[in-house]
Amino acid sequence: MNVKELKAKKNALGISNKKLAEASGVPIGTVQKVFSGETESPRYQTLIALEEGLNKLYNDYLATSHTGGAVDGTGSRAGRGAGSKYNMNAFASDEEFAFHEKAHIFVPLKRQGEYTVDDYMALPDENGERYELIDGVIYDLVAPTGVHQHISGFLYHTLSTFRDKHPGPCLPIISPYDVKLGSDNKTVVQPDVLIKCKRSADNKKKRSSNVPVFVAEVLSPSTKRRDQGIKQQKYVASGVREYWIIDPEKETVIVYDYTDKEDNNSDIITIYTFDDKIPVAVWDGKCKIDFSKLKKQIEEHKEILESSEQEEIEIY
């Protein structure tokens, strides 16, 4: 069974990466990398273990006394009553299915590109799973690294400290925090760090109350393309006034400044390094983020930041 088929079964059973890791014995970090696509060619033993884990969870499900209809290979409901058999071969096709918690039936999932904010809000989050919805496509976010989290925390702390000393209508917020963009009801993102402000009387018609004035994204291998491409376009089109792209590997910060552009028609781009103190434009440059201090902290605590449960020796 390939990754696509495994993912279809996983979605159909409505289980989290954590639950599958426990059932299969595959480390949670490996499970996340396989299903996010970060690991392009998983080991054969890993795929076998994941399949066995999914089968175990499926058999456990059948052992329960759920009632209701099932979905057969063609996608129609078939069978009634407790113990109805579900044709799991259906989940290996292009059309995926999911178990409906309230109706106790398997129902066809929408295709990528068709999901809405309501679908996004219905996704499970009890196990710390995180997602983004962009133009109707749902993305499963991989757990961030220690360096990623430290950069986000450092930025948020600096912004919050400045705000405490200079009270005003704006508030820094750190992920996870849902931000709905656009009017088509198909995009919800989770910026790493953002600043939201109360709307004044003269700009209430220009910007949605949910759109941040400042957004910072810390790049990771699984999100780099989206952060530098479609998300940047979405932020600007929605009225974000300042967008930072922080690259831990290259130790650079790309700043898109639209604070002086009424319609955000042109980019003012500045590229900084981790040796710079970078001014926050939406606060008129009065707040500066000392990335040289951040760089020193990362270097001093590299061993701590680069170690985690996800990086233990994996036998699969």
Side-chain angles (χ1 to χ4, degrees):
M1 185 172 292
N2 59 35
V3 174
K4 181 179 179 180
E5 294 169 338
L6 289 171
K7 191 171 185 178
K9 277 193 177 184
K10 175 178 175 291
N11 289 341
L13 292 170
I15 63 173
S16 66
N17 288 335
K18 181 179 179 182
K19 193 171 183 179
L20 179 54
E22 293 172 350
S24 64
V26 178
I28 179 65
T30 301
V31 175
Q32 291 174 327
K33 292 173 183 176
V34 168
F35 289 112
S36 70
E38 185 175 347
T39 299
E40 297 181 356
S41 301
R43 295 190 181 103
Y44 176 75
Q45 293 91 336
T46 299
L47 296 178
I48 292 298
L50 291 173
E51 183 175 0
E52 291 177 350
L54 284 169
N55 289 335
K56 177 180 183 300
L57 291 169
Y58 173 56
N59 290 331
D60 290 345
Y61 167 77
L62 289 181
T64 65
S65 59
H66 286 297
T67 61
V71 174
D72 63 15
T74 63
S76 61
R77 295 180 186 178
R80 292 287 178 183
S84 296
K85 297 298 181 181
Y86 296 85
N87 182 3
M88 294 301 283
N89 291 328
F91 307 128
S93 67
D94 289 338
E95 186 173 26
E96 299 177 359
F97 295 81
F99 182 73
H100 194 291
E101 294 287 350
K102 294 182 179 179
H104 298 300
I105 59 174
F106 282 109
V107 296
L109 283 170
K110 295 179 180 178
R111 295 186 182 279
Q112 289 284 40
E114 297 177 351
Y115 293 102
T116 66
V117 173
D118 289 338
D119 298 319
Y120 171 84
M121 297 304 294
L123 291 170
D125 61 1
E126 65 273 9
N127 292 310
E129 298 280 338
R130 295 175 56 222
Y131 311 89
E132 284 188 324
L133 173 70
I134 304 176
D135 289 336
V137 176
I138 293 177
Y139 297 90
D140 187 0
L141 299 180
V142 178
T145 64
V147 172
H148 181 289
Q149 287 297 79
H150 185 68
I151 293 173
S152 297
F154 180 89
L155 178 56
Y156 170 72
H157 174 73
T158 305
L159 294 172
S160 295
T161 300
F162 177 85
R163 194 263 180 188
D164 289 342
K165 295 179 179 178
H166 305 84
C170 301
L171 183 70
I173 302 172
I174 193 169
S175 184
Y177 182 85
D178 289 338
V179 174
K180 182 179 179 295
L181 300 176
S183 58
D184 59 1
N185 206 40
K186 284 191 172 183
T187 299
V188 182
V189 293
Q190 290 197 1
D192 290 316
V193 180
L194 60 121
I195 298 175
K196 288 183 66 176
C197 302
K198 294 180 181 178
R199 292 183 299 169
S200 59
D202 62 345
N203 71 7
K204 285 186 176 181
K205 294 182 179 180
K206 297 180 182 178
R207 182 173 53 83
S208 167
S209 59
N210 192 49
V211 176
V213 297
F214 171 96
V215 166
E217 295 280 14
V218 182
L219 297 184
S220 61
S222 62
T223 65
K224 180 177 292 188
R225 286 188 178 181
R226 296 199 301 276
D227 291 341
Q228 294 178 312
I230 189 171
K231 286 177 72 174
Q232 188 264 341
Q233 298 170 16
K234 288 287 184 181
Y235 287 138
V236 175
S238 299
V240 172
R241 309 305 292 173
E242 185 174 2
Y243 181 44
W244 290 20
I245 298 178
I246 304 171
D247 190 332
E249 291 186 1
K250 296 181 179 179
E251 295 187 348
T252 59
V253 181
I254 301 176
V255 175
Y256 292 84
D257 181 3
Y258 304 98
T259 55
D260 294 327
K261 300 299 177 182
E262 183 67 23
D263 297 318
N264 290 2
N265 287 328
S266 60
D267 297 352
I268 298 179
I269 305 174
T270 306
I271 300 178
Y272 297 92
T273 73
F274 276 21
D275 294 316
D276 296 319
K277 292 184 178 180
I278 306 177
V280 180
V282 295
W283 279 341
D284 299 323
K286 296 176 181 178
C287 175
K288 293 182 174 61
I289 311 299
D290 189 350
F291 272 81
S292 63
K293 181 178 180 180
L294 171 64
K295 179 180 179 180
K296 183 178 180 181
Q297 290 179 359
I298 293 174
E299 291 173 348
E300 289 180 348
H301 302 288
K302 184 175 182 180
E303 182 178 353
I304 295 174
L305 294 173
E306 292 185 351
S307 65
S308 70
E309 293 181 0
Q310 296 181 18
E311 293 171 351
E312 60 187 80
I313 296 176
E314 300 173 358
I315 61 175
Y316 292 97

